[in-house]
Amino acid sequence: DSGVTQTPKHLITATGQRVTLRCSPRSGDLSVYWYQQSLDQGLQFLIQYYNGEERAKGNILERFSAQQFPDLHSELNLSSLELGDSALYFCASSVAASGAYEQYFGPGTRLTVT
Amino acid sequence: EDQVTQSPEALRLQEGESSSLNCSYTVSGLRGLFWYRQDPGKGPEFLFTLYSAGEEKEKERLKATLTKKESFLHITAPKPEDSATYLCAVQAVGGSQGNLIFGKGTKLSVKP
């Protein structure tokens, strides 16, 4: 158990809908990262928050957004869903914003768009 | 462009048959190289961080090494429970972000 929690574990929804994925980092970690894992692309970085502030953006679509709340939990919002958005979404946390600190991953949310 | 390439894509071993997984990387500057283990449908599990060429780290049957261009994950006398996908990732120097750039992984199967 990494100490990072994610809900829900599974999500099935239709194209055009909007969903929210939730992540709670390990106790003491201030940085939260979101990654998308699909079969053909591997793990792709989406966005990073540190202590409530957006820190870095990766290959995140404009239809996707995220935020980190004062209690440090984070939410990833996915809207106007398309079939290609079906993937595993992972949240990871680390103690700092940068520096080679290990990132600990949650169990993931499997999103299926039908 | 920073990138990570892992080989082979898949590796089948007999129990006790030692081997190595390769991770080649191209980054403007390396802050750290990470190895993770991922079981099907689960989140990646942290194994090692390597910071500079020549560094080695060990954990049970696993040993990770680092050169200026690549890293190896050596598996000695593997057991069926070592079957998983092993992911390599790098963190590049520069900028304020800490995100990892992942390879596509090596899927290891160990048969009894």
Side-chain angles (χ1 to χ4, degrees):
Chain A
D1 184 356
S2 67
V4 179
T5 61
Q6 288 187 249
T7 56
K9 289 190 74 172
H10 302 278
L11 206 46
I12 301 174
T13 189
T15 54
Q17 294 299 304
R18 172 188 169 97
V19 296
T20 297
L21 282 53
R22 183 187 168 108
C23 165
S24 292
R26 290 190 324 155
S27 177
D29 285 357
L30 298 178
S31 205
V32 169
Y33 307 80
W34 286 97
Y35 292 86
Q36 179 191 57
Q37 187 176 41
S38 56
L39 280 173
D40 55 342
Q41 290 294 320
L43 267 164
Q44 299 284 314
F45 167 67
L46 295 177
I47 196 164
Q48 176 195 4
Y49 277 80
Y50 176 75
N51 204 20
E53 302 278 330
E54 182 184 303
R55 191 72 180 221
K57 266 185 172 179
N59 300 321
I60 188 166
L61 299 170
E62 285 193 14
R63 301 183 284 109
F64 296 1
S65 65
Q67 52 185 326
Q68 187 179 27
F69 295 86
D71 67 352
L72 300 177
H73 91 271
S74 178
E75 292 181 358
L76 179 67
N77 300 295
L78 315 177
S79 61
S80 302
L81 285 167
E82 302 175 358
L83 295 177
D85 297 327
S86 295
L88 271 166
Y89 291 84
F90 290 105
C91 163
S93 73
S94 70
V95 64
S98 60
Y101 295 98
E102 43 270 25
Q103 295 181 18
Y104 292 90
F105 283 76
T109 293
R110 181 177 293 279
L111 173 66
T112 303
V113 183
T114 61
Chain B
E1 182 186 346
D2 299 333
Q3 62 180 12
V4 177
T5 304
Q6 291 188 246
S7 62
E9 287 185 18
L11 181 62
R12 299 183 114 186
L13 299 175
Q14 287 296 125
E15 184 172 1
E17 180 187 1
S18 302
S19 188
S20 296
L21 282 55
N22 177 263
C23 170
S24 298
Y25 61 90
T26 305
V27 290
S28 49
L30 182 69
R31 184 171 276 153
L33 185 140
F34 302 80
W35 282 98
Y36 286 85
R37 169 194 169 123
Q38 186 175 26
D39 292 300
K42 304 249 177 108
E45 175 190 343
F46 171 76
L47 293 174
F48 303 109
T49 308
L50 301 167
Y51 298 98
S52 57
E55 190 174 0
E56 299 183 352
K57 287 198 176 167
E58 283 188 73
K59 179 180 178 179
E60 296 180 1
R61 295 177 292 282
L62 301 177
K63 178 179 171 181
T65 62
L66 181 64
T67 73
K68 288 189 177 179
K69 294 291 184 188
E70 57 193 350
S71 176
F72 293 92
L73 185 65
H74 308 278
I75 303 177
T76 302
K79 298 182 177 182
E81 54 261 42
D82 294 322
S83 298
T85 295
Y86 290 86
L87 300 169
C88 171
V90 298
Q91 190 184 77
V93 168
S96 58
Q97 65 269 27
N99 60 286
L100 301 179
I101 302 163
F102 280 87
K104 293 191 175 182
T106 292
K107 184 174 182 179
L108 174 67
S109 298
V110 182
K111 302 298 181 188

